[in-house]
Coordinates of all heavy atoms in Angstrom, one line a residue:
V235 N 83.6 88.5 114.2 CA 84.8 88.0 113.5 C 84.3 86.8 112.6 O 84.7 86.7 111.4 CB 85.8 87.4 114.5 CG1 86.9 86.6 113.8 CG2 86.5 88.6 115.2
A236 N 83.4 86.0 113.1 CA 82.9 84.9 112.3 C 82.1 85.4 111.1 O 82.2 84.9 110.0 CB 82.0 84.0 113.1
S237 N 81.3 86.5 111.3 CA 80.5 87.0 110.1 C 81.4 87.7 109.2 O 81.2 87.7 107.9 CB 79.3 87.8 110.5 OG 79.6 88.8 111.3
A238 N 82.5 88.3 109.7 CA 83.5 89.0 108.8 C 84.2 88.0 107.9 O 84.4 88.3 106.7 CB 84.5 89.8 109.6
T239 N 84.7 86.9 108.4 CA 85.4 85.9 107.6 C 84.5 85.2 106.7 O 84.8 84.8 105.6 CB 86.2 84.9 108.5 OG1 85.3 84.4 109.4 CG2 87.4 85.6 109.2
G240 N 83.2 85.0 107.1 CA 82.2 84.3 106.3 C 81.7 85.2 105.1 O 81.3 84.7 104.1
D241 N 81.7 86.5 105.3 CA 81.1 87.4 104.3 C 81.9 88.7 104.3 O 81.4 89.8 104.7 CB 79.6 87.7 104.7 CG 79.0 88.6 103.7 OD1 79.5 88.7 102.5 OD2 78.0 89.3 104.0
P242 N 83.2 88.6 103.9 CA 84.0 89.8 104.0 C 83.6 90.9 103.0 O 83.1 90.7 101.9 CB 85.4 89.3 103.6 CG 85.2 88.0 102.8 CD 83.9 87.5 103.3
G243 N 83.8 92.2 103.4 CA 83.7 93.3 102.6 C 85.0 93.6 101.9 O 85.1 93.8 100.7
I244 N 86.1 93.7 102.7 CA 87.4 94.0 102.2 C 88.4 93.1 103.0 O 88.3 93.1 104.2 CB 87.9 95.4 102.3 CG1 86.9 96.4 101.5 CG2 89.3 95.6 101.8 CD1 87.3 97.9 101.7
V245 N 89.1 92.2 102.3 CA 90.1 91.4 102.9 C 91.5 92.1 102.8 O 91.9 92.6 101.8 CB 90.2 90.0 102.2 CG1 91.4 89.2 102.7 CG2 88.9 89.2 102.6
H246 N 92.2 92.1 104.0 CA 93.5 92.8 104.1 C 94.6 91.7 104.4 O 94.5 91.1 105.4 CB 93.4 93.8 105.2 CG 94.6 94.6 105.4 ND1 94.9 95.3 106.5 CD2 95.7 94.8 104.6 CE1 96.0 95.9 106.5 NE2 96.6 95.6 105.3
F247 N 95.5 91.6 103.5 CA 96.6 90.7 103.6 C 97.8 91.3 104.4 O 98.8 91.6 103.9 CB 97.1 90.2 102.3 CG 96.0 89.4 101.5 CD1 95.2 90.1 100.6 CD2 95.9 88.0 101.6 CE1 94.2 89.4 99.9 CE2 94.9 87.3 100.9 CZ 94.1 88.0 100.0
E248 N 97.5 91.7 105.6 CA 98.5 92.4 106.4 C 99.6 91.4 106.9 O 99.4 90.2 106.9 CB 97.8 93.1 107.6 CG 97.7 92.3 108.9 CD 96.7 91.2 108.9 OE1 96.1 90.9 107.8 OE2 96.5 90.6 110.0
G249 N 100.7 92.0 107.4 CA 101.7 91.2 108.0 C 103.0 91.1 107.2 O 103.1 91.8 106.2
P250 N 103.9 90.2 107.6 CA 105.2 90.1 106.9 C 105.1 89.6 105.5 O 104.0 89.1 105.1 CB 106.0 89.2 107.8 CG 104.9 88.4 108.6 CD 103.8 89.3 108.7
P251 N 106.1 89.6 104.7 CA 106.1 89.2 103.3 C 105.4 87.9 103.0 O 104.7 87.7 102.1 CB 107.5 89.3 102.8 CG 108.2 90.3 103.7 CD 107.5 90.2 105.0
V252 N 105.6 86.9 103.9 CA 105.1 85.6 103.7 C 103.5 85.5 103.8 O 102.9 84.6 103.3 CB 105.7 84.5 104.6 CG1 105.2 84.7 106.0 CG2 105.5 83.1 104.1

Side-chain angles (χ1 to χ4, degrees):
V235 171
S237 55
T239 52
D241 180 25
I244 300 177
V245 168
H246 181 198
F247 297 88
E248 90 289 5
V252 72

